[in-house]
Amino acid sequence: MPRKILIAETTREERIQIVQSALGEWGDECDGMSSSSGGYDKMYQPYIDGELELRECNRRAASESYVSYNRDRPASGCWMGY
């Protein structure tokens, strides 16, 4: 059975847990994108607040250049290429 992630199917607390559990898998490997820097928090806050679906936050982030890949940088283990 698919995990419920849509705003209509979740509470705010569940959305916080969804974001934290997904991002927690990456640890501190992404320089400049930690929750304390506002990177992830800012990126996913509209989802947590029930304003945008998760897929819309990801789409917006990609179009606003949150996601980038630099082949000249050494591999950091970060899925975002930082």
Side-chain angles (χ1 to χ4, degrees):
M1 187 153 101
R3 182 174 181 192
K4 294 181 180 184
I5 62 168
L6 295 177
I7 291 170
E9 301 172 333
T10 57
T11 64
R12 185 175 198 281
E13 291 74 24
E14 289 171 324
R15 291 190 296 273
I16 291 170
Q17 184 60 38
I18 289 166
V19 170
Q20 287 177 341
S21 66
L23 299 177
E25 295 175 12
W26 304 106
D28 294 327
E29 295 175 347
C30 296
D31 298 337
M33 286 301 291
S34 68
S35 291
S36 61
S37 73
Y40 292 133
D41 290 345
K42 181 179 175 185
M43 185 171 154
Y44 291 109
Q45 195 62 48
Y47 171 67
I48 291 170
D49 293 339
E51 299 166 2
L52 292 174
E53 293 293 350
L54 192 55
R55 68 179 171 271
E56 294 169 316
C57 290
N58 289 330
R59 189 177 305 130
R60 176 191 276 185
S63 69
E64 291 179 359
S65 301
Y66 279 106
V67 179
S68 65
Y69 182 75
N70 184 341
R71 294 178 190 265
D72 298 327
R73 288 188 62 170
S76 65
C78 174
W79 66 278
M80 294 185 77
Y82 290 104

